[in-house]
Amino acid sequence: MTNSNKTGFTCGDILLIPDFKEAVVLAGADGLHRPITRVNVMEVPDVIDWVRPGEFLITSGFPFRDDPEAIADLIPALASRGVAAIGIKTRRFIDAIPKRALEAAEALGFPIFELPASTVFSDVVRDIMERVLVQEARELSLLQSRFQKLSQQLLYGAGIEEFLQTLDGMVNNPVVLVDDEDHVLLSPQAAQAVGRSGQPLSWSRLREESALGVSFLTVGDRRIRAYISAVNHHFNNCFIILLEWNQEYSVVDRLTIERVGILVGLEMMNANARKEVEAKYIDQFLQDWLSGRIVTVEDVKLRAEACGCPLAEEHGFHAGTVRWTSGKPSLKQLQLAVKRIRARLSGERVLATVLEGGLAFVASAPPQGEARKPVEALIHELKGLGLSEGTPSACLGGRVEGANQVQHSYQQARKILHISTVCDMREPYIDYRGLGAFQLLYLLPESEEVQSYRDRFIVPLLEYDRKHGTTLVETLKKYFRNNRNAKKTAGELFTHYNTVNYRVERVCELLGIDPGDGDDIFQLQLAVKLQEMRPNAVSGGDNGIPLSV
């Protein structure tokens, strides 16, 4: 990395001024690159309260006439306040600058200039400030030129990618743009730098450091400085990163990054407006498609292509809807979830929208393939959003081959949603096969005969659990779900498998059934399934706990 990108008028430039031809740098030569933005004259001992960053401080030595050693104590304080350098006139009030002061300045890289006794301070102020103002005028002109060029680019529709390419060339360093959805846009030099690193970089973590302005990150085997600037107040989560890769960035480079944030914000507002219009067309298409309002395959394909989501040839389709085990998200949260899914899962063969107050989706599957992978990606994304206290569960309708038959798959998914809700199923992925016996038991009316059958098995167990503080009913549910595997059930209940066997035997004793009789066990399992479907419908008490048997 080079330092060719010189920053303004520096301490080293002082030696180029004719009036300073007899000035000598006594210490702190490592700090000659420090920029100077103003000049201040020191003729009082308590000047430390009045200095400003970037100042070149000059003194006749009068404040130190009685105690020259006080200069050594002043140097660290000036350096900590950001003062650029100090010039001290000798052979009038003090004969020489103390050795201790020079050592302190050398250690801090803080330049000390020895000024000849003939130095006129008014000339010093005039000469330095003239050059500072000329340099600032040049920088301002460069900044204005850059801003104008970039404005023209966006005005004539160049787009963000070309904009970043031009900005990359202006500052001769890589530039990265991160939007509020953590999409990353890289300038050409940034793409090369990231490509060489051979590993993904977490740009979004720098968002919290944007208020600080400067951060450090490792790219490959290099540790580099990065300047971070928020785009503007409309896009608080969007920021631009300038990487100090080829050369040190200058003040003008930093100001350029800050000022172009306004342009980037305007372009992103336009892009977001376009995305919102496009999103409405996609929503309308998906809602019409899932509801069966698009009759022919040709119309479905035309609408899909017009929305920018063409259908894959020879693929089948599964429609589905999402159920939350508790705490259904609000409409606004669902809309944000749809936006996130479209942005992150564009290549996963799944399209989502808000329909009938819930999140509906269509997943395509290749011939002889299934839609489980894109649906799992959808659920994973929803879990990451944390929209509610409950977990999302995908209710997936059966596969249809024709694009004009998707509404049948969606209606089946709605039925699965209803059954899984009634039966309190909590699996992350439920299709018609996953309903098991529930798809038949669901069809049974809540008649007196069904209720009597269920209560004959369940009520005695609930009453026993209530009186003795046991969990016979819960054990039975897990026991049957695990295909009567006592060890697996014990693992889920965090108990010994002999305990599970004992509980099952106790159930059989209470109900007077034979654990070795397949028909008895089947009837018990049916009763447990009926109770799972409607846990609050057991007669005799509230919340499934009977008052008497």
Side-chain angles (χ1 to χ4, degrees), residues 62-340:
F62 178 78
F64 311 108
R65 66 191 183 282
D66 298 324
D67 185 16
E69 288 295 328
I71 299 174
D73 299 325
L74 181 66
I75 296 303
L78 294 176
S80 67
R81 294 293 182 98
V83 173
I86 187 171
I88 303 175
K89 188 190 293 189
T90 57
R91 300 185 186 88
R92 184 176 180 189
F93 295 106
I94 61 174
D95 293 329
I97 300 171
K99 182 180 178 181
R100 193 162 65 91
L102 297 178
E103 290 174 349
E106 188 67 28
L108 294 168
F110 182 80
I112 293 182
F113 290 83
E114 183 182 31
L115 306 178
S118 60
T119 302
V120 179
F121 283 177
S122 61
D123 292 341
V124 172
V125 174
R126 185 194 66 234
D127 289 344
I128 292 180
M129 288 310 299
E130 279 182 356
R131 286 162 174 78
V132 168
L133 292 174
V134 167
Q135 183 63 31
E136 287 182 349
R138 288 174 183 165
E139 292 175 349
L140 185 60
S141 176
L142 176 59
L143 181 63
Q144 185 177 0
S145 173
R146 288 178 173 182
F147 191 82
Q148 186 174 10
K149 182 176 181 179
L150 292 168
S151 300
Q152 291 293 319
Q153 271 198 322
L154 291 181
L155 183 63
Y156 290 105
I160 289 291
E161 289 80 5
E162 190 173 333
F163 176 90
L164 289 177
Q165 182 177 355
T166 303
L167 185 58
D168 175 306
M170 284 178 173
V171 298
N172 193 27
N173 270 319
V175 181
V176 180
L177 173 64
V178 183
D179 69 11
D180 56 353
E181 295 178 354
D182 291 342
H183 292 150
V184 178
L185 291 174
L186 304 173
S187 72
Q189 290 192 69
Q192 291 177 5
V194 172
R196 287 189 200 131
S197 72
Q199 59 185 16
L201 296 173
S202 178
W203 301 106
S204 59
R205 73 171 180 82
L206 297 175
R207 180 175 284 112
E208 290 113 19
E209 301 176 30
S210 61
L212 302 175
V214 178
S215 182
F216 291 87
L217 67 157
T218 302
V219 181
D221 58 354
R222 288 180 60 179
R223 183 74 173 167
I224 62 170
R225 186 168 62 158
Y227 180 69
I228 310 162
S229 177
V231 167
N232 61 33
H233 67 278
H234 291 293
F235 295 90
N236 292 326
N237 290 323
C238 304
F239 57 98
I240 304 175
I241 308 167
L242 173 62
L243 304 179
E244 201 172 60
W245 186 265
N246 299 319
Q247 61 186 31
E248 291 183 16
Y249 53 70
S250 68
V251 174
V252 180
D253 293 338
R254 295 201 306 268
L255 288 173
T256 300
I257 295 298
E258 289 176 6
R259 300 290 173 85
V260 300
I262 299 172
L263 300 178
V264 173
L266 292 172
E267 180 62 20
M268 292 181 73
M269 287 175 68
N270 290 334
N272 283 352
R274 291 194 298 270
K275 285 181 181 178
E276 286 182 8
V277 173
E278 291 168 358
K280 288 180 180 178
Y281 279 113
I282 294 173
D283 282 330
Q284 191 61 60
F285 159 63
L286 290 174
Q287 290 161 8
D288 289 347
W289 190 17
L290 289 164
S291 302
R293 290 194 287 267
I294 308 178
V295 179
T296 66
V297 174
E298 290 74 17
D299 286 343
V300 174
K301 289 183 177 180
L302 285 173
R303 289 277 299 274
E305 289 177 4
C307 293
C309 40
L311 306 182
E313 293 293 332
E314 299 182 359
H315 276 219
F317 304 94
H318 291 266
T321 186
V322 176
R323 168 181 170 256
W324 273 264
T325 54
S326 64
K328 182 179 176 182
S330 65
L331 179 60
K332 186 175 182 180
Q333 287 178 311
L334 291 176
Q335 290 170 339
L336 289 173
V338 167
K339 183 179 178 183
R340 178 89 169 249

